[in-house]
Amino acid sequence: MPLADHLTIRSARPGDETGMSMVLTEVLTDWNSTRPGDPAHVRAAYVGHPDRIDCAVCEGPEGIVGFQSLRLALPGNAYEVEPGWGIIGTYVRLNMGRQGIGQALFAHNLRVAQAAGLRWIEATIGADNLRAQAYYDAMGFQTYRTEGGAVRKRCSVLPLR
C-alpha cells in the first residue's frame, strides 16, 4: 500500500521526543522488552545521539506514527557493527503497519546514507522478531550473521547517480 497522502517524512528535531516515545513504547511493549522508551531516552538515543547521521520521522495529523534512526558505527559501538557502517532501527505504530511508512522512512535514510558515503547499513534484529526480519528483507537487506538470539542483516548502499 502506498504511503497515505496525509503523512510526511522529515528529519526528527527537538520537540519530537514525546511523539517518538509513544511509538517506541508501543513497540517495546509488543516485544515484551524492558528497554527504556521515555522521552529522555528518545532524546539521548535518537534525536540528539552524537553518532546520528539522521533520524527520520513519519508524521500525520495525529502526530508521529513512525521513525527510523540511522547512526554511524564508531569503534566500540554497542551493536558491534563494523566501524564506518550505518546502524539502522525502525519503529512504526502497530496499527499503521503495511501502509508504506517503513518503506518511505528507508527511502529517506537511504538517500542520507548515500550522501554520507556509507557502504553498508546494518540492522540487528531479535531472532524471534519475524515482522522486523520480513521488513528488512523487503528493503533489500540480507542476513549475513546470526548470533546470540539476533539476526544481523546488511544492505549495500549504492552510490548516488
Side-chain angles (χ1 to χ4, degrees), residues 1-10 23 26-27 55-69 88-111 135-136 138-139:
M1 257 176 134
L3 186 65
D5 291 337
H6 61 281
L7 298 174
T8 58
I9 304 295
R10 62 171 175 78
V23 172
E26 180 179 302
V27 171
C55 184
V57 298
C58 180
E59 187 174 40
E62 305 299 317
I64 294 172
V65 296
F67 68 95
Q68 185 176 74
S69 171
I88 200 164
T90 308
Y91 307 93
V92 175
R93 302 239 11 197
L94 299 177
N95 67 342
M96 299 291 292
R98 309 209 46 89
Q99 295 186 39
I101 294 169
Q103 183 177 6
L105 288 166
F106 184 64
H108 171 94
N109 272 328
L110 182 59
R111 288 188 300 273
Y135 163 73
Y136 284 108
M139 296 302 106

Side-chain angles (χ1 to χ4, degrees), residues 7-64:
L7 298 174
T8 58
I9 304 295
R10 62 171 175 78
S11 293
R13 55 185 178 242
D16 287 337
E17 295 90 348
T18 298
M20 293 169 67
S21 172
M22 292 172 63
V23 172
L24 181 59
T25 299
E26 180 179 302
V27 171
L28 294 175
T29 299
D30 184 61
W31 293 351
N32 294 315
S33 175
T34 59
R35 288 175 33 199
D38 59 277
H41 171 75
V42 169
R43 183 178 312 106
Y46 302 105
V47 178
H49 195 279
D51 303 337
R52 172 184 161 168
I53 297 172
D54 197 17
C55 184
V57 298
C58 180
E59 187 174 40
E62 305 299 317
I64 294 172

